[in-house]
Amino acid sequence: MEEYSEKMGKEFDREWIPRLCPVNVASDTIEAEDLPLEYIPEYWKYYFEAKGKIARYTDKEGILTSNTLTDYSTLEAYCWDYMLERADEDIEELAVAREMKEDGNLEAYVLISLFHYDLFDQFKYYVTNSKEESVAYLNSLVK
């Protein structure tokens, strides 16, 4: 996307931020209380806590089944939303994620901009089932 944008005389910024902890993979058993918070910002505990709240509605790939907790289709999006709802609002590292949530692009942001190979099944599910949203999201990053 960066090369494509450059050829058009535009810039591409996926708004990537470093992830300072492992991802929530449906088959893993990392618990919030097991996090080495001396190395990981404390607000990530909410991200891991969220997995326990939605686990019974999550298949082995991290795709969510029918539930009353969220409209998101993936474990990753739900966990980020849960974290954003509980973390202090003035955390600079989460500012873009908050903007994306407000714009209705949180799921696209966490699965596309913050792509991680351990989340490939969730990414593939999202972009396959939300093609128009995925393309619109990517186009919105070209300025």
Side-chain angles (χ1 to χ4, degrees):
M1 286 297 292
E2 287 177 9
E3 287 181 33
Y4 171 75
S5 298
E6 190 175 301
K7 288 179 182 182
M8 292 176 36
K10 299 185 178 205
E11 291 184 23
F12 176 78
D13 183 1
R14 67 181 180 145
E15 303 284 355
W16 182 84
I17 62 168
R19 178 188 295 272
L20 302 173
C21 63
V23 297
N24 265 338
V25 177
S27 60
D28 287 349
T29 57
I30 298 171
E31 300 292 337
E33 58 270 6
D34 295 334
L35 293 176
L37 292 177
E38 63 271 16
Y39 303 110
I40 300 171
E42 188 172 348
Y43 56 86
W44 281 97
K45 70 181 178 187
Y46 300 117
Y47 171 83
F48 286 97
E49 189 177 286
K51 183 178 172 187
K53 304 281 184 197
I54 197 87
R56 66 178 170 212
Y57 303 111
T58 307
D59 73 9
K60 65 182 178 151
E61 281 85 30
I63 310 307
L64 301 181
T65 59
S66 296
N67 68 81
T68 57
L69 297 177
T70 186
D71 291 330
Y72 292 115
S73 62
T74 60
L75 173 63
E76 185 70 358
Y78 174 78
C79 293
W80 271 85
D81 183 66
Y82 186 93
M83 177 173 62
L84 293 174
E85 289 294 319
R86 285 152 185 82
D88 291 337
E89 290 193 25
D90 62 343
I91 297 171
E92 188 176 329
E93 295 85 2
L94 299 179
V96 171
R98 289 185 189 287
E99 289 173 27
M100 295 297 176
K101 179 181 175 179
E102 192 172 300
D103 292 343
N105 289 320
L106 182 62
E107 195 154 25
Y109 174 67
V110 301
L111 292 172
I112 297 172
S113 285
L114 305 183
F115 178 82
H116 190 284
Y117 60 88
D118 285 343
L119 301 173
F120 182 73
D121 290 329
Q122 293 177 58
F123 164 81
K124 183 173 71 173
Y125 179 86
Y126 178 76
V127 298
T128 300
N129 293 286
S130 304
K131 288 179 186 176
E132 289 180 25
E133 292 91 343
S134 298
V135 170
Y137 174 73
L138 283 168
N139 284 331
S140 76
L141 301 177
V142 179
K143 305 204 180 7

